[in-house]
Amino acid sequence: MNLIIGSHVSYNNKSQLLGSVKEALSYKSNTFMFYTGAPQNTNRSVIEDSLTMEAYKLMKENNIALEKVIVHAPYIVNLANFNNFDFSVSFLINEVERCSTLGIKYLVLHPGSAVNCSREEAINNISKGLNLILDNDYDVTILLETMAGKGNEIGKTFEELKAIIDKVKFQDKIGVCIDTCHLNDAGYDMSNFDEVLDNFDKVIGINKIECIHVNDSKNEISSHKDRHARIGEGQIGLDDIVRIINHDALKHLPFLLETPNELDGYAREIELLKSKYNG
Ligand code: FE
Ligand code: FE
Ligand code: ZN
């Protein structure tokens, strides 16, 4: 078995999915993750099917499986905040539709931040939003990301994610994306990853994990900072990251780098992790 690894790649209006595939291939990735526009805004362009078809052809030629490719929702969307709720819901309904048009199965979403409300209300708002968004015929699963717990972020514990998931009607369309930097910053001991996954399994169920963000962290465990470091240059360290990509329960899933890198940095990290994979 090959390690399924890639990174966050760009996506622009002009070349769309085709441009993202080309960028992923330039790093020797066999999967990738992208935002359907800028991560920090919600302006989105119309998808051109001819570019999508060309992208599929290139993916097929290079053994990139479409069902392992991930879209990340923009991080300014906040389902927890009731003031902006209608906008967030309608944006995400359109985002799910865009994923479906592109043939993408998984949409990663930051659960939200408890602005002007309690954490309990935030969790209720998020579940309510998800039930409005997932109520459709699209074969797209939303993956809630484990968060560092910066500010009022929801999703810094498995229990919080579970509380959201439990209120979602469409159980087959909700899953989790674990982020190694965020787990460390949230207080999970990544040097004892077996225990972290056992805990996840007891609280949520390991089969809910559909992708992993592989990042080192600039900060100590429980720092709640969310500052990503390059692989092996942070507080988690290469050895623990190598154990994570080789974990039996996860090794078939896509691993995505979101490390602070210039272009050749991703290529180096992808090569490094491939060389450390036991298959
Ligand atoms: Fe994220
Ligand atoms: Fe992440
Ligand atoms: Zn992060």
Side-chain angles (χ1 to χ4, degrees), residues 1-6 28-31 62-64 68 245-246 250-255 270 273-279:
M1 195 161 67
N2 289 322
L3 177 63
I4 304 164
I5 185 144
K28 297 198 164 61
S29 304
N30 51 19
T31 193
N62 290 280
N63 295 315
I64 296 182
K68 301 286 184 186
I245 62 167
N246 282 298
L250 305 180
K251 61 194 303 183
H252 61 289
L253 296 173
F255 291 87
I270 286 163
L273 294 180
K274 276 183 181 172
S275 77
K276 301 281 185 189
Y277 185 66
N278 301 327

Side-chain angles (χ1 to χ4, degrees), residues 117-146:
C117 66
S118 70
R119 296 187 79 81
E120 208 182 341
E121 285 169 316
I123 285 168
N124 280 327
N125 292 347
I126 295 164
S127 313
K128 192 176 166 200
L130 288 169
N131 282 330
L132 293 167
I133 296 154
L134 293 170
D135 188 12
N136 60 49
D137 295 329
Y138 300 118
D139 183 22
V140 176
T141 297
I142 290 185
L143 305 180
L144 300 174
E145 184 165 349
T146 62

Side-chain angles (χ1 to χ4, degrees), residues 33 35 72 75 108-110 145 147 179 182 213 228 258:
M33 179 175 80
Y35 293 81
H72 197 310
Y75 40 72
V108 170
L109 175 70
H110 294 180
E145 184 165 349
M147 302 308 290
D179 183 309
H182 297 176
H213 288 170
H228 300 189
E258 301 171 301

Side-chain angles (χ1 to χ4, degrees), residues 181 185 216-220 227-230 233-235 260:
C181 166
D185 290 17
D216 215 324
S217 174
K218 290 210 160 104
N219 294 286
E220 307 267 302
R227 293 191 61 218
H228 300 189
R230 292 179 185 167
E233 294 181 14
Q235 296 292 321

